Amino acid sequence: MHQQLETVVNQLNEIILGKKDQIKLALVCLLAKGHLLIEDLPGMGKTTLAHALAKVLGLDFQRIQFTSDLLPADIIGSAIYRRSDETFKFHQGPIFTQVILADEVNRATPKSQSALLEAMEEYQVTSEGVSRKLPEPFFVIATQNPFHQIGTYPLPESQLDRFLIRISLGYPAQEVERLLFKGQETRIQIEALQSVLNAEKLLAFQREVEAVTVTDTLLDYLQALVAATRNSTQWSHGLSPRGGLALLKAAKAWALLEGRDFVVPEDIQAVWEPVASHRLMNQTGTSAAGSSPVLAILESTEIPR
Amino acid sequence: MNSAISKRQLQTRELPIIPIVIAQQCVLLPLYFFIPLWIVALNLFAAGLVVWSMKNKSFEVDRWLKLVITAAAIVGILVVFRKFSGRDAGVALISAMYGLKILETKKLRDANLLLSLGFFMLVAGFLFTQKPWIALYQFIPIIAILNALVSMQSIGRGKVVKRSLGQVIRSLSQYLLLALPIMIVLFLFFPRLGGPIWRMPGASTAASGVSDSMTPGDVSSLQLFDKVAFRAKFNGSAPNEKDLYWRMLTLGEYDGITWTRAGTTPYKLPESELTGKELIDYSITLEATRLNYLVTLDRPIKAPQRSTLLKDFTTYTPFRIMDRTRYQVTSAPTLPIETQLSDTQRSFYTNIPQDGNLKTKNWAQEQRQKYQSDAEFIHSVLVQINQQEYFYTLQPPIMREDVVDSFWFDYQRGFCEHYAGALVFIARAAGIPARVVIGYQGGEKNPLSDYWIVRYANAHAWTEIWYEDLGWVRIDPTAAIASHRVEQDLLTDYRQRESLFDNFDIVDLEDLGLFKQFEYWMDQVNNNWNDWILDYNSQRQRQLFSNWGFSKITNEQLIAFMLIIVSLFLGFISFRWLHQKDRKDQVARAYEKFQSKLAKEGLVNVDSTTGPMQLINQLKELEYSALVRSPHKSVRSKYEQHIKAIEAYIHYRYQNDKPDFKAKKNLLLQFRQV
């Protein structure tokens, strides 16, 4: 079982070069039934990651480019009048898929954003008073551009909290970029990818994540970390219980990815920053990815023995 | 959670009946040897009934049945003992009631009472015997009670981790260990009463060995008692075993049948007589004799405290020796006594009844004429004992009339009392002052320790003959018997009288059988127990504290000291206990030690936020680079061992919450090896 997860990581590594941790975190997010937020500039490989992930896992993939004139119906779908039998027939929008890339999610109006967020939270969409179930697994990868805030609707903190993990791909290293230039076009590479898993297997992995053991000493550690954010003056408020739960889930998924059925302190440490930083607001907004105050918490919190 | 509700739930929950019954029966077990068998049966029946009804939920012991059983037990005890007071009846009653208490142990409260009472019941065993073995045994019921109490605490706690007997004992012993300092402080400080707290009526200690009179002839067989009469410890080197004449009583008056003691004149030895004499310092631990006399090595120069040295060198105490008594004495074996004898005394010590034993009387007077001096005459009598057919036996024929005559001329067989009695009679008949001394002779040295054991079997009678200028001289006629005329089974018993015939060496430890060694060891334990525990009375307590620089300490001060020390200790323990949460367990400590050791060796870079996985990664990197440099197997195995230990730690710590004792043990071993 673990072998397959390793293969997934390796295959993705060949396409998105030099971003092993981010790939693993993306996978962790999927295994923990969470959603992924990528904060990055255009052209960093967000789409490639989403696309490749869907392909390797054997899942359906859709992409929505969020714009200011995007309407909820453009995401969910709408009922269209059919003249032949004089009825309204619901046409599914792009959200009815297993992996969805919501590109530049902060460009759309809050109304459209909330349509996506309802789907993320409830695993269903409501149109014309009828709720429709989304396929399983359902995994949202949203991206936003943190630097061009004019004419955007930044996600409020309550909605940021819905994303289990936030990562940033960032510029590749020099050698890695060189390889990128030398290599094949990524689109062709993705086409050539063999899917390692399928939806069913992925669901089985998700169940396995839930069964991963966390001992009391580690819960102590986790609570100590959460408490540290609440006691710190760096942020206006600390991690919510949902944030703590997210940390626990992500750590479990990380442990499974590492081939263990129990969590060790390093699992919590590995997912700490991606899980915590976008939930912690300072005076100017959310902490940037890889922010040092969040990592400092890790440095100052002892691991209980 | 509402605590009232939870409490009620607790009460109705299943009690841990089996541990409770085990604890109760452990408490009662030593008493079962001393109470009537039917109470034992009743108690076991009650326990069995409760266990059975626990297995069969529908069955419940009827309230009236309980009442009837209890009433029957009370009536039964009343019928058997005719009273409730006294040791035997009292203990029988309390053990019956305690045994039956299990029948109405339904609630947590009852069980708590039953178990707490158990601690009190433990004391009852000491009413019957105070040997060290019973004290040792008491640890078993204490552990059992603690175990039951602990299992009661875990009612309603959900899953209980099953533990092996060894683990249970180990963890409960830790509680006992905590109680140990308090126990010692209470023992040392609690003011002692002068005597025992109570004296049990009807609990007589049969005293035999030496009595305060001697009637040769009325005993046809003397039992060799293995029981210890006293133990003696010499401060310097001990005299030869054949010189160990332990004096108890001097018998001077003879009515033709019985020798009794006479005279109670106190005597103070003039200091001047002691110059140039060899002095022997020793202490004696005397078992209860129910007599007023102390045993001393012949001849004591000063009576121990609260006793008087009499003129006949008997050491008299105004109270009977009812308990084991310990005293210090100094003796001068070569001390001459009464070199001058007044006429009254002379006639007293030569007085024999006018009638009876005429044959011996005449024979003695005739014989005396043949010798120049008293000494030569006495010597000739001893020679006669040695040369003629005189036998030493513990089963002499019964002699009713003219005891000396029939012994000396007809039977010529008897034991020390017969010989001593006859010799004194003969001497007196010849006009030589003489008297019988009774006490003990010899003893055995415990080869494992430096004290002597003297048993009832060592009881002996000898004579003192008065010579002009020499005073009273000890003459032991029994020693004169030729060894081939001593009954064979007495000779083979090494303890019996051997020193009189041959000078046996002190028993060599290597020659002893295993059993004998064990016996000596037991006696040593017993002796230390008596010395340090049972005989720790108010006098020794005072002595102990005066050794520590507290002379004249009052009882109030003792109690104050005791309370201060105990409360300081309890305060310390509770402080530790309150802060126990901060303290790490054994494994964590071992791991941290291991970690800092690796850091010290410069192998790894760690702080409190470094997890074990990181440690492994660091080590793996090191191993890799070391292997690149020099691909030696030893390099690999070194790191491999470290990594294995950490992996074991990870599994122990993070794989599950249940404590795995075996894994813990292995893990600690692994860390220690590194």
Side-chain angles (χ1 to χ4, degrees):
Chain A
M1 284 286 256
H2 173 240
Q3 199 66 44
Q4 288 176 316
L5 289 177
E6 223 173 72
T7 317
V8 170
V9 174
N10 289 340
Q11 290 214 4
L12 290 173
N13 257 332
E14 279 169 27
I15 295 181
I16 302 117
L17 298 164
K19 298 286 172 207
K20 191 168 179 178
D21 275 354
Q22 283 88 335
I23 290 167
K24 270 170 91 175
L25 283 168
L27 209 54
V28 159
C29 196
L30 186 54
L31 288 173
K33 293 189 191 169
H35 302 287
L36 182 68
L37 179 65
I38 305 179
E39 239 178 35
D40 232 329
L41 296 169
M44 292 294 192
K46 294 175 297 221
T47 318
T48 314
L49 175 65
H51 207 160
L53 198 63
K55 178 80 186 178
V56 172
L57 297 175
L59 303 175
D60 297 336
F61 174 69
Q62 288 283 352
R63 177 191 162 144
I64 309 172
Q65 180 67 49
F66 277 43
T67 55
S68 53
D69 56 354
L70 186 80
L71 294 174
D74 295 333
I75 303 171
I76 295 165
S78 51
I80 289 171
Y81 182 70
R82 290 216 316 203
R83 198 160 329 143
S84 52
D85 46 9
E86 300 190 334
T87 54
F88 282 94
K89 169 114 171 69
F90 183 76
H91 278 247
Q92 291 185 342
I95 201 155
F96 286 89
T97 185
Q98 287 166 321
V99 177
I100 183 158
L101 175 67
D103 222 352
E104 298 202 80
V105 74
N106 54 346
R107 292 219 171 272
T109 53
K111 199 174 174 184
S112 304
Q113 286 174 357
S114 71
L116 177 73
L117 291 162
E118 188 213 345
M120 281 164 60
E121 193 66 17
E122 316 286 339
Y123 293 93
Q124 65 176 25
V125 291
T126 310
S127 168
E128 323 270 319
V130 183
S131 294
R132 292 184 170 83
K133 282 254 171 263
L134 290 170
E136 270 199 324
F138 178 69
F139 182 47
V140 174
I141 302 174
T143 73
Q144 66 174 351
N145 184 340
F147 301 109
H148 300 95
Q149 297 288 353
I150 301 163
T152 61
Y153 303 92
L155 291 172
E157 56 217 79
S158 63
Q159 295 192 347
L160 277 173
D161 206 28
R162 310 275 170 92
F163 291 96
L164 182 68
I165 279 176
R166 180 193 63 181
I167 56 172
S168 169
L169 289 171
Y171 294 116
Q174 218 171 349
E175 319 82 76
V176 173
E177 200 167 21
R178 184 86 171 196
L179 285 174
L180 190 71
F181 296 155
K182 278 189 168 175
Q184 254 183 322
E185 203 186 326
T186 46
R187 189 169 300 279
I188 300 166
Q189 281 185 323
I190 292 170
E191 288 301 318
L193 272 180
Q194 292 289 319
S195 54
V196 181
L197 298 180
N198 54 35
E200 249 169 66
K201 279 183 182 168
L202 188 67
L203 288 172
F205 274 127
Q206 286 181 343
R207 277 193 296 275
E208 237 183 282
V209 166
E210 279 162 25
V212 167
T213 312
V214 184
T215 58
D216 283 347
T217 39
L218 280 178
L219 291 181
D220 287 343
Y221 183 44
L222 202 139
Q223 282 190 305
L225 288 172
V226 171
T229 64
R230 292 174 191 166
N231 296 333
S232 168
T233 52
Q234 289 275 344
W235 304 285
S236 49
H237 39 73
L239 281 181
S240 63
R242 180 156 57 184
L245 271 175
L247 187 58
L248 184 64
K249 273 199 272 182
K252 281 174 161 187
W254 186 275
L256 188 76
L257 207 56
E258 292 285 320
R260 269 182 275 105
D261 62 352
F262 57 91
V263 178
V264 298
E266 280 82 351
D267 298 330
I268 297 177
Q269 291 177 342
V271 298
W272 166 250
E273 195 277 330
V275 171
S277 65
H278 64 285
R279 295 168 207 264
L280 294 169
M281 314 289 273
N282 56 23
Q283 265 67 37
T284 56
T286 61
S287 312
S291 79
S292 54
V294 179
L295 288 171
I297 294 274
L298 219 48
E299 299 285 307
S300 62
T301 309
E302 262 185 50
I303 300 175
R305 305 286 182 208
Chain B
M1 192 167 59
N2 189 328
S3 66
I5 289 172
S6 73
K7 220 168 198 173
R8 202 176 314 140
Q9 281 173 337
L10 275 182
Q11 296 259 323
T12 51
R13 285 268 171 81
E14 281 291 303
L15 281 175
I17 289 291
I18 298 286
I20 293 174
V21 168
I22 289 174
Q24 189 206 23
Q25 294 303 319
C26 281
V27 168
L28 285 171
L29 186 68
L31 296 177
Y32 283 167
F33 293 97
F34 303 105
I35 60 177
L37 212 57
W38 61 270
I39 299 180
V40 177
L42 196 66
N43 283 353
L44 292 177
F45 171 72
L49 206 61
V50 167
V51 172
W52 192 72
S53 76
M54 182 194 74
K55 297 257 156 79
N56 301 269
K57 297 274 188 262
S58 56
F59 178 82
E60 202 171 318
V61 188
D62 187 66
R63 203 150 58 95
W64 290 105
L65 181 65
K66 282 187 227 169
L67 202 67
V68 167
I69 293 176
T70 312
I74 294 174
V75 170
I77 289 163
L78 200 58
V79 166
V80 172
F81 293 99
R82 309 212 163 272
K83 59 178 179 178
F84 287 135
S85 60
R87 179 187 66 176
D88 293 343
V91 171
L93 183 68
I94 197 173
S95 22
M97 294 301 112
Y98 184 67
L100 294 176
K101 174 81 183 157
I102 191 78
L103 286 178
E104 52 159 32
T105 301
K106 287 265 180 291
K107 291 180 177 166
L108 211 57
R109 197 180 49 191
D110 303 327
N112 263 324
L113 181 68
L114 184 81
L115 293 172
S116 312
L117 263 179
F119 287 117
F120 173 74
M121 286 294 291
L122 289 179
V123 181
F126 289 117
L127 296 181
F128 293 98
T129 169
Q130 301 177 0
K131 293 269 178 226
W133 325 121
I134 183 159
L136 206 62
Y137 169 80
Q138 303 292 29
F139 281 102
I140 296 173
I142 287 175
I143 292 270
I145 293 174
L146 286 180
N147 177 44
L149 284 172
V150 166
S151 41
M152 267 168 41
Q153 290 308 309
S154 49
I155 298 175
R157 286 273 174 84
K159 253 193 306 181
V160 177
V161 186
K162 271 265 172 202
R163 299 197 296 172
S164 75
L165 185 68
Q167 284 161 358
V168 169
I169 290 176
R170 214 172 309 147
S171 69
L172 292 177
S173 302
Q174 283 173 356
Y175 291 111
L176 282 187
L177 224 57
L178 273 183
L180 199 66
I182 298 181
M183 188 184 98
I184 292 171
V185 168
L186 289 183
F187 177 79
L188 286 179
F189 282 81
F190 199 86
R192 301 283 145 159
L193 299 170
I197 302 172
W198 61 79
R199 200 171 290 292
M200 291 318 269
S204 69
T205 325
S208 49
V210 172
S211 59
D212 61 353
S213 65
M214 179 180 106
T215 314
D218 70 338
V219 188
S220 66
S221 143
L222 192 68
Q223 288 281 287
L224 272 178
F225 282 106
D226 231 14
K227 248 180 105 176
V228 174
F230 61 93
R231 295 182 178 85
K233 188 174 174 179
F234 291 97
N235 289 351
S237 61
N240 270 339
E241 197 194 339
K242 72 177 170 64
D243 296 330
L244 289 177
Y245 279 83
W246 305 98
R247 191 184 187 105
M248 193 162 173
L249 272 171
T250 312
L251 307 177
E253 208 153 16
Y254 185 52
D255 62 358
I257 298 165
T258 303
W259 290 90
T260 45
R261 58 179 303 273
T264 50
T265 328
Y267 181 62
K268 178 115 178 36
L269 198 71
E271 292 281 327
S272 58
E273 287 200 34
L274 290 174
T275 46
K277 296 285 182 308
E278 183 203 358
L279 296 182
I280 298 172
D281 258 340
Y282 56 97
S283 67
I284 282 181
T285 310
L286 186 65
E287 301 289 319
T289 59
R290 301 173 82 82
L291 296 177
N292 290 69
Y293 312 102
L294 299 182
V295 174
T296 56
L297 189 67
D298 208 14
R299 292 156 171 167
I301 58 167
K302 194 167 166 267
Q305 278 187 329
R306 300 171 76 189
S307 64
T308 325
L309 184 65
L310 301 183
K311 204 166 182 189
D312 59 3
F313 278 76
T314 297
T315 313
Y316 175 82
T317 60
F319 48 89
R320 282 168 179 254
I321 307 295
M322 304 300 275
D323 302 293
R324 192 176 295 107
T325 310
R326 215 177 119 97
Y327 47 89
Q328 285 279 342
V329 207
T330 307
S331 290
T334 57
L335 180 77
I337 25 178
E338 294 185 286
T339 44
Q340 301 301 319
L341 217 54
S342 68
D343 285 347
T344 21
Q345 276 190 311
R346 213 182 169 100
S347 69
F348 175 77
Y349 282 118
T350 51
N351 177 40
I352 43 173
Q354 287 294 311
D355 45 345
N357 295 319
L358 289 172
K359 203 174 165 192
T360 314
K361 216 186 274 179
N362 293 332
W363 176 83
Q365 279 155 6
E366 261 170 48
Q367 289 293 310
R368 177 66 188 86
Q369 305 301 317
K370 296 183 185 170
Y371 298 97
Q372 297 233 318
S373 68
D374 291 349
E376 280 173 44
F377 165 64
I378 296 296
H379 183 72
S380 77
V381 176
L382 293 179
V383 167
Q384 180 172 340
I385 292 174
N386 186 257
Q387 302 295 318
Q388 294 188 20
E389 298 281 293
Y390 285 93
F391 290 91
Y392 184 86
T393 174
L394 291 180
Q395 276 123 5
I398 291 184
M399 300 166 239
R400 295 215 184 278
E401 279 170 35
D402 291 345
V403 178
V404 181
D405 276 3
S406 50
F407 164 70
W408 194 248
F409 295 108
D410 302 342
Y411 296 111
Q412 299 190 335
R413 52 190 69 226
F415 46 86
C416 54
E417 294 193 353
H418 298 89
Y419 285 93
L423 182 64
V424 172
F425 186 87
I426 290 165
R428 285 187 176 189
I432 308 166
R435 60 192 184 188
V436 173
V437 181
I438 55 176
Y440 297 85
Q441 202 285 320
E444 55 190 299
K445 189 171 193 281
N446 188 331
L448 305 173
S449 188
D450 58 345
Y451 65 90
W452 288 73
I453 308 164
V454 180
R455 298 170 195 271
Y456 286 140
N458 291 91
H460 190 45
W462 62 92
T463 69
E464 276 182 337
I465 312 282
W466 189 85
Y467 296 132
E468 200 75 48
D469 297 331
L470 289 175
W472 294 101
V473 173
R474 182 174 66 219
I475 307 279
D476 188 352
T478 324
I481 309 167
S483 59
H484 64 271
R485 274 186 251 110
V486 174
E487 273 179 3
Q488 273 308 304
D489 58 331
L490 291 177
L491 257 189
T492 47
D493 185 351
Y494 73 92
R495 239 190 263 117
Q496 183 60 28
R497 324 273 327 106
E498 82 275 29
S499 60
L500 298 180
F501 310 107
D502 264 313
N503 197 0
F504 282 64
D505 282 327
I506 291 167
V507 194
D508 190 2
L509 190 59
E510 279 176 31
D511 291 345
L512 296 176
L514 258 183
F515 178 73
K516 197 69 210 168
Q517 278 199 40
F518 178 68
E519 249 189 13
Y520 277 127
W521 180 79
M522 294 259 281
D523 194 85
Q524 193 188 355
V525 171
N526 234 321
N527 187 38
N528 287 336
W529 176 257
N530 293 340
D531 250 26
W532 296 105
I533 310 291
L534 295 184
D535 290 348
Y536 185 73
N537 52 23
S538 73
Q539 192 191 332
R540 295 194 83 186
Q541 191 176 34
R542 293 290 135 93
Q543 197 186 332
L544 182 74
F545 280 95
S546 69
N547 285 350
W548 289 347
F550 300 98
S551 47
K552 299 231 168 85
I553 194 162
T554 64
N555 282 351
E556 288 79 10
Q557 282 169 328
L558 276 177
I559 290 180
F561 263 128
M562 182 180 80
L563 290 180
I564 288 169
I565 293 178
V566 168
S567 42
L568 277 180
F569 178 75
L570 285 179
F572 173 71
I573 291 295
S574 10
F575 181 80
R576 287 271 305 247
W577 183 77
L578 281 176
H579 290 75
Q580 199 143 41
K581 266 198 174 159
D582 297 342
R583 290 174 64 239
K584 291 156 185 164
D585 74 351
Q586 227 179 341
V587 171
R589 278 199 304 262
Y591 175 71
E592 275 186 356
K593 217 167 150 190
F594 168 77
Q595 210 181 21
S596 55
K597 190 163 175 271
L598 291 185
K600 218 178 241 169
E601 281 177 27
L603 291 177
V604 291
N605 185 14
V606 288
D607 57 30
S608 60
T609 64
T610 312
M613 279 295 191
Q614 269 169 278
L615 212 58
I616 289 183
N617 288 341
Q618 290 188 20
L619 284 171
K620 276 188 174 159
E621 269 170 40
L622 272 175
E623 182 188 28
Y624 178 74
S625 55
L627 278 174
V628 168
R629 266 183 274 122
S630 61
H632 266 301
K633 214 173 173 188
S634 62
V635 175
R636 178 187 286 273
S637 70
K638 176 184 160 196
Y639 290 104
E640 219 77 325
Q641 199 191 4
H642 292 350
I643 290 170
K644 271 216 182 91
I646 303 171
E647 274 169 354
Y649 170 74
I650 290 171
H651 281 273
Y652 171 78
R653 179 58 79 205
Y654 299 116
Q655 200 154 30
N656 51 42
D657 266 326
K658 262 189 262 160
D660 182 347
F661 289 99
K662 210 171 161 193
K664 180 176 172 181
K665 217 166 148 190
N666 283 337
L667 186 56
L668 288 174
L669 199 73
Q670 255 175 311
F671 279 139
R672 216 165 293 145
Q673 277 169 353
V674 171

